[in-house]
Amino acid sequence: MKRFLALLATCATVLGLTALSGPQAAAATGCRVDYTVASQWQGGFQAGVRITNLGDPVSGWTLGFTMPDAGQKVVQGWNATWSQSGSTVTATAVDWNRTLATGATVDVGFTGSFTGANPQPTAFTLNGVACTGSVEEPPDDGTPVDINGQLHVCGVNLCNQHDRPIQLRGMSTHGIQWFSRCYNTASLDALAKDWRSDLLRIAMYVQEDGYETDPAGFTGRVNSLVDMAEARGMYAVIDFHTLTPGDPNFNLDRAKTFFASVAARNADKKNVIYEIANEPNGVSWTAVKSYAEQVIPVIRAADPDAVIIVGTRGWSSLGVSDGSNESEVINNPVNATNIMYAFHFYAASHKDNYRATVSRAASRLPLFVSEFGTVSATGGGAVDRASSTAWLDLLDQLKISYANWTYSDADEGSAAFRPGTCNGTDYSGSGVLTESGALLKSRISTPDNFPTS
């Protein structure tokens, strides 16, 4: 696969707008365009185009450019409505990526054909205004771990070393027993640098061909991924991924053994967060609480400072999926400090009543959305853009950290990458992203603006 130098361009000022259907388009006061030919073959090629809004928020956009050679044609595009008239190409926002906040990016792309040469476009317009000049990367103020250091819980918030509330945004692996090929130098470089992710959640299943089959081997894999996240300045959530059976006490001895090992090994690291039970189900909150109060001291004996996430009843729904609510946790909290409570949702299945629960609970409990999907609770089906956006807006508003399921190429709607991506080396091009991946990348890659004073 050949990769060509990305073409960088900026829009310095806006002189006009291109008419768009739907909501009125707003002016773009600065932008960046990265054009990459991801692959090329006889008579055809695949190109990715990334648009970064460097100015005021944009409520609608049309990208325009001219194909340099008359034989170049757009065949099929994605993440935009593509059209071509003669040599003039336009890509217009679709509903889900119409709005671009300051610093937000959107990845679009297309496959094309050519009959002569295949030179790259040299000029772009955004909303009718020429994008000219070169772009310098913004100054690097440090990685998420550099800036925030050792985290801790303060009140209902996750706080950094400056005692200021923060929100971490990132991705969860799929089961590392199935998708280990997806987690390598190239993919984690893309997650840290291209996605600008703050965290990697490491999903280590206990059953389902996971930890119980090879405790030493899986412990080693987890530690390796912790190191890889640390090297890139990302936080690592070590997820003891219990699912079936749903009672975490079934794996109590395994949990004690595993967490004693990883806590002792990683105690000096500032980037580790422990998630001790993924999704308790079919079990009471009292039983979950009992499990937590036996596992947490094991971690604290080796690592007294790290944040610990405790799963909640009803697949970590604060009991909502079992017909309960957050009051059972508020009235009977885990007897431990520096802990947070997990909340999981899948946007197509869990909507207003779940969001209402989070809104209420967030004023009483420190919450961490350690797993969520843009699709149904099965992990499949279509992306529910409206519900996903409502959820992400709410989490941003409440400064609740999150990890999306999943940073993988699983053949399901929740995956960030198209099937087969992890067999290659490209994790950055727009052509490898699914609809869910493109949506999450556009949200996660916006600036964090972590407070330091």
Side-chain angles (χ1 to χ4, degrees), residues 7 9 53 108-109 112 118 129 154 169 195 232 244 250 288 305 316 378 405 413 416 427 450:
L7 175 66
N53 179 27
V108 300
N118 188 31
V129 178
C154 55
R169 301 171 298 170
W195 288 61
R232 291 159 179 79
T244 305
F250 178 84
V288 178
D305 300 322
S316 283
T378 65
W405 185 269
Y427 297 90
F450 292 124

Side-chain angles (χ1 to χ4, degrees), residues 38 44 125 128-129 158 165 206 294 349 440:
T125 62
V129 178
L158 180 65
V206 184
Q294 294 178 76
S349 300
L440 263 297

Side-chain angles (χ1 to χ4, degrees), residues 99 151 407:
T99 300
L151 305 178
Y407 196 67

Side-chain angles (χ1 to χ4, degrees), residues 240 242-243 245-255 276-284 287-292 295 311:
F240 195 69
T242 54
L243 187 62
D247 185 351
N249 291 287
F250 178 84
N251 287 304
L252 179 59
D253 289 341
R254 294 185 183 95
I276 61 174
N278 168 56
E279 290 187 348
N281 59 88
V283 65
S284 69
V288 178
K289 177 177 180 286
S290 173
Y291 166 84
V295 174

Side-chain angles (χ1 to χ4, degrees), residues 13-80:
T13 57
V14 166
L15 305 176
L17 295 173
T18 296
L20 299 177
S21 60
Q24 179 64 42
T29 57
C31 70
R32 164 176 172 161
V33 174
D34 299 288
Y35 181 97
T36 305
V37 176
S39 60
Q40 182 169 308
W41 56 93
Q42 183 65 40
F45 66 101
Q46 178 177 302
V49 184
R50 167 173 291 181
I51 306 164
T52 303
N53 179 27
L54 302 176
D56 295 334
V58 174
S59 60
W61 55 266
T62 289
L63 179 76
F65 60 91
T66 300
M67 290 293 198
D69 188 276
Q72 293 173 303
K73 304 293 182 183
V74 172
V75 176
Q76 183 177 14
W78 51 85
N79 294 345

Side-chain angles (χ1 to χ4, degrees), residues 8 32 52 54 103 135-142 193 196 445 447:
L8 306 180
R32 164 176 172 161
T52 303
L54 302 176
V135 175
E136 293 183 1
E137 291 288 342
D140 185 1
D141 295 325
K193 298 174 184 178
R196 302 176 190 170
S445 62

Side-chain angles (χ1 to χ4, degrees), residues 126-329:
L126 184 69
N127 289 351
V129 178
C131 298
T132 59
S134 61
V135 175
E136 293 183 1
E137 291 288 342
D140 185 1
D141 295 325
T143 68
V145 176
D146 286 339
I147 297 169
N148 296 298
Q150 179 65 58
L151 305 178
H152 64 282
V153 178
C154 55
V156 296
N157 298 115
L158 180 65
C159 292
N160 64 11
Q161 63 184 344
H162 306 289
D163 293 321
R164 296 293 302 278
I166 64 167
Q167 178 196 36
L168 300 178
R169 301 171 298 170
M171 298 295 292
S172 174
T173 72
H174 207 303
I176 57 176
Q177 75 275 39
W178 300 313
F179 293 92
S180 60
R181 68 185 186 281
C182 292
Y183 313 115
N184 52 56
T185 297
S187 67
L188 292 192
D189 280 349
L191 184 62
K193 298 174 184 178
D194 196 41
W195 288 61
R196 302 176 190 170
S197 180
D198 304 320
L199 66 87
L200 172 71
R201 180 186 186 236
I202 304 163
M204 186 201 71
Y205 279 74
V206 184
Q207 276 72 48
E208 301 183 67
D209 298 322
Y211 175 79
E212 67 177 3
T213 68
D214 181 9
F218 276 93
T219 300
R221 290 192 215 179
V222 168
N223 286 332
S224 176
L225 288 170
V226 168
D227 291 348
M228 293 175 76
E230 181 186 38
R232 291 159 179 79
M234 293 188 292
Y235 289 92
V237 178
I238 298 177
D239 165 34
F240 195 69
H241 202 85
T242 54
L243 187 62
T244 305
D247 185 351
N249 291 287
F250 178 84
N251 287 304
L252 179 59
D253 289 341
R254 294 185 183 95
K256 288 181 176 180
T257 299
F258 173 74
F259 282 111
S261 176
V262 295
R265 193 261 188 186
N266 298 301
D268 292 334
K269 297 182 184 295
K270 296 180 180 180
N271 73 315
V272 176
I273 299 170
Y274 302 97
E275 182 177 3
I276 61 174
N278 168 56
E279 290 187 348
N281 59 88
V283 65
S284 69
W285 167 243
T286 301
V288 178
K289 177 177 180 286
S290 173
Y291 166 84
E293 291 177 348
Q294 294 178 76
V295 174
I296 290 172
V298 173
I299 297 173
R300 290 283 181 248
D303 190 344
D305 300 322
V307 172
I308 296 172
I309 302 171
V310 179
T312 58
R313 184 158 74 97
W315 292 274
S316 283
S317 68
L318 289 171
V320 180
S321 292
D322 281 352
S324 185
N325 57 47
E326 74 279 9
S327 62
E328 65 183 19
V329 180

